[in-house]
C-alpha cells in the first residue's frame, strides 16, 4: 500500500496558485485551532455533574475550595490538559507511522506499540504488584519502547522497508496480544485492573500524570514536526529520497523514536484509545493533500478535538455515569472511518 494524494486535493494542487493554496491551508489551520479552543472550554465546563457557568468561572479564577471549585480545578482541568496532550501524541504518531510505512490505514497498533504497553502493564500488575496509575505510566512507556526496538530490529534495522516494518509489527502485535490474554486469564486481579486501563480513559487524570508524560510528548512532537521534509522525500520512493539527500536509515530510526515517545506517553497515560491515530491523519490528508508539513500540524490540532470531544460526549451520554473516551471514539470512529474510506476523495490504496 502506498500513499497517493487524494483525487480532488490533487486536482486543486494542479490548478490552484501556490500562494492561494497556502493561504487556504493556513486559514483552515487557524479555524481548527478555534474549534480546539471551543472543545477545550466545553471539556472544562461540561461534565457528568452539571455546574453553572458562573461556578466554572469561579473555580478557574477565584478558587476557594468549594466542591464545584475542586471539581473544576482538580478534576476537569487536569483531565482536559491530559486529553489535549494525548490527542496531540496520538495524532502525530499516527501521521508519522502512515508516512513511514506508506500505508494510509496504519496506526500505532500496526507496529505493536500499544500492545507492547499493554504487555508491560499486565506484567507489572501480575508479577510486581503495581496498583496505581502513576506506576502504570512508566511500565507502559517502557513496554512501548521495547516493542519499538524489537519491531525495528526485526524489520531490518538500516535495511528496514515499509513492508518489513509492517510485517514485523504485525508479528510483534500477535505475540504480545497472546501474552496479555494469557496473563489475564491466569490472574484475575490483573484482569480486573487491566479492563479499566485497556478501554482508554481520562477519568483518572491528575497533574502528576500530566507532568510525567508531558516531557516525552514535547520532545516527540518537536521531532515529528522536524521530520516532515525527509518523510515527504521518502514518500517519493527510496531512490528519489536518496537523490534528494535524505538519509533513509536515520530518518526511519528517528521516526520510530518519535512514534515511541508520542504513542508510548499517550498510551501510558490513559490506555490505548482507538481510531484517533488512524482516522484523523487520514481525514487531514483529504483536506491538505500529502504534504506532511501541513498534515502534521493539522493532526496535532484536530486529534485533541476528537479526544476531548469524545470525552465530553461520554460524560453527558450516560449521566450520572460516564462512558470512557476509548469507547466513544470507537463508536464514532468506526462508522465515520468507513464513510471516509468509501469517499472518492480519500487516499486510494
Amino acid at each position: 500500500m502506498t500513499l497517493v494524494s487524494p483525487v480532488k486535493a490533487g486536482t486543486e494542487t494542479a490548478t490552484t496558485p501556490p500562494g492561494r493554496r497556502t493561504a487556504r491551508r493556513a486559514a483552515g489551520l487557524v479555524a481548527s485551532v478555534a474549534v480546539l479552543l471551543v472543545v477545550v472550554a466545553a471539556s472544562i465546563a461540561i461534565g457528568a455533574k452539571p455546574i453553572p457557568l458562573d461556578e466554572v468561572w469561579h473555580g478557574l479564577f477565584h478558587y476557594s475550595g468549594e466542591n464545584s471549585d475542586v471539581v473544576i480545578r482538580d478534576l476537569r482541568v487536569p483531565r482536559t490538559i491530559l486529553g489535549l496532550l494525548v490527542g496531540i501524541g496520538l495524532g502525530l504518531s499516527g501521521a508519522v507511522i502512515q508516512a513511514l510505512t506508506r500505508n494510509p490505514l496504519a496506526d500505532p497498533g500496526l507496529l505493536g506499540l500499544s500492545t507492547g504497553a499493554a504487555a508491560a502493564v499486565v506484567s507489572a500488575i501480575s508479577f510486581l504488584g503495581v496498583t496505581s496509575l502513576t506506576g502504570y505510566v512508566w511500565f507502559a512507556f517502557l513496554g512501548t519502547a521495547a516493542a519499538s526496538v524489537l519491531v525495528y530490529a526485526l524489520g531490518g534495522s538500516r535495511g528496514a522497508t515499509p513492508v518489513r516494518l509492517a510485517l514485523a509489527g504485525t508479528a510483534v502485535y500477535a505475540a504480545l496480544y497472546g501474552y496479555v490474554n494469557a496473563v489475564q486469564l491466569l490472574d484475575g486481579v490483573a484482569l480486573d485492573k487491566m479492563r479499566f486501563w485497556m478501554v482508554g480513559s481520562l477519568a483518572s487524570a491528575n497533574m502528576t500524570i500530566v507532568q510525567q508524560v508531558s516531557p516525552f510528548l514535547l520532545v516527540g512532537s518537536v521531532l515529528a514536526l522536524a521530520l516532515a521534509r525527509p518523510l515527504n522525500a521518502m514518500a517519493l520512493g527510496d531512490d528519489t529520497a536518496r537523490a534528494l539527500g535524505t538519509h533513509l536509515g536515520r530518518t526511519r530510526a528517528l521516526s520510530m523514536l518519535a512514534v515511541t515517545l508520542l504513542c508510548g506517553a499517550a498510551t501510558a497515560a490513559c490506555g490505548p484509545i482507538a481510531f484517533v491515530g488512524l482516522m484523523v491523519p487520514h481525514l487531514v490528508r483529504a483536506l491538505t493533500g500529502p504534504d506532511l508539513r501541513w498534515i502534521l500540524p493539522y493532526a496535532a490540532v484536530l486529534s485533541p478535538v476528537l479526544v476531548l470531544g469524545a470525552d465530553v460526549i461520554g460524560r453527558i451520554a450516560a449521566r450520572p455515569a460516564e462512558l470512557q473516551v476509548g469507547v466513544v471514539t470507537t463508536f464514532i470512529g468506526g462508522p465515520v472511518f468507513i464513510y471516509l474510506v468509501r469517499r472518492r476523495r480519500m487516499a486510494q490504496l
Side-chain angles (χ1 to χ4, degrees):
M1 296 182 182
T2 57
L3 289 175
V4 181
S5 59
V7 176
K8 291 186 179 179
T11 302
E12 290 181 359
T13 299
T15 60
T16 306
R20 182 179 300 177
R21 187 168 63 249
T22 300
R24 288 178 179 176
R25 290 170 174 172
L29 187 58
V30 172
S32 299
V33 172
V35 173
L36 176 59
L37 293 176
V38 172
V39 175
V40 167
S43 179
I44 296 174
I46 301 173
K49 176 185 177 181
I51 298 177
L53 290 179
D54 59 334
E55 294 184 21
V56 173
W57 183 269
H58 186 277
L60 287 173
F61 301 106
H62 305 286
Y63 185 87
S64 61
E66 298 178 3
N67 288 340
S68 58
D69 292 352
V70 172
V71 170
I72 296 299
R73 182 76 67 88
D74 298 337
L75 297 179
R76 291 189 187 174
V77 169
R79 184 171 182 163
T80 300
I81 295 174
L82 186 62
L84 178 66
L85 295 175
V86 165
I88 293 172
L90 293 176
L92 287 177
S93 63
V96 171
I97 287 177
Q98 290 175 10
L100 181 65
T101 61
R102 298 175 195 166
N103 180 356
L105 299 180
D107 73 340
L110 178 69
L111 298 185
L113 305 186
S114 299
T115 316
V121 170
V122 76
S123 298
I125 293 172
S126 184
F127 304 126
L128 301 178
V130 177
T131 58
S132 67
L133 185 60
T134 53
Y136 298 164
V137 167
W138 298 111
F139 284 97
F141 187 80
L142 291 174
T144 305
S148 175
V149 172
L150 181 59
V151 168
Y152 194 68
L154 293 175
S157 188
R158 291 188 177 182
T161 64
V163 174
R164 287 180 181 178
L165 287 174
L167 291 175
T170 302
V172 171
Y173 165 82
L176 292 178
Y177 184 76
Y179 169 78
V180 170
N181 284 336
V183 173
Q184 288 180 317
L185 290 174
L186 295 174
D187 189 339
V189 175
L191 175 61
D192 290 338
K193 292 187 177 296
M194 282 291 289
R195 280 187 298 186
F196 182 77
W197 184 83
M198 285 292 291
V199 76
S201 173
L202 297 173
S204 299
N206 57 60
M207 290 308 298
T208 299
I209 296 175
V210 171
Q211 292 169 0
Q212 286 177 325
V213 301
S214 55
F216 300 105
L217 290 169
L218 176 61
V219 174
S221 298
V222 172
L223 182 57
L225 293 171
L227 289 169
R229 287 183 179 275
L231 286 174
N232 272 343
M234 289 176 61
L236 302 174
D238 289 357
D239 293 337
T240 302
R242 289 192 188 95
L244 293 173
T246 301
H247 192 293
L248 300 183
R250 181 174 60 197
T251 300
R252 290 190 177 113
L254 290 176
S255 297
M256 289 294 291
L257 176 60
V259 169
T260 299
L261 293 171
L262 293 167
C263 177
T267 305
C270 57
I273 297 179
F275 280 106
V276 178
L278 170 65
M279 183 171 62
V280 174
H282 197 67
L283 172 62
V284 166
R285 192 174 297 108
L287 301 174
T288 67
D291 190 346
L292 283 162
R293 293 174 298 177
W294 288 101
I295 290 175
L296 291 173
Y298 264 88
V301 173
L302 292 179
S303 294
V305 170
L306 176 59
V307 172
L308 291 175
D311 191 40
V312 171
I313 292 172
R315 293 186 223 173
I316 63 178
R319 282 176 172 171
E322 293 186 12
L323 291 176
Q324 305 307 327
V325 63
V327 175
V328 179
T329 57
T330 300
F331 276 121
I332 296 174
V336 171
F337 187 69
I338 291 173
Y339 168 73
L340 292 174
V341 169
R342 291 177 63 86
R343 290 182 62 186
R344 289 187 60 191
R345 71 176 298 175
M346 298 307 296
Q348 300 177 8
L349 301 182

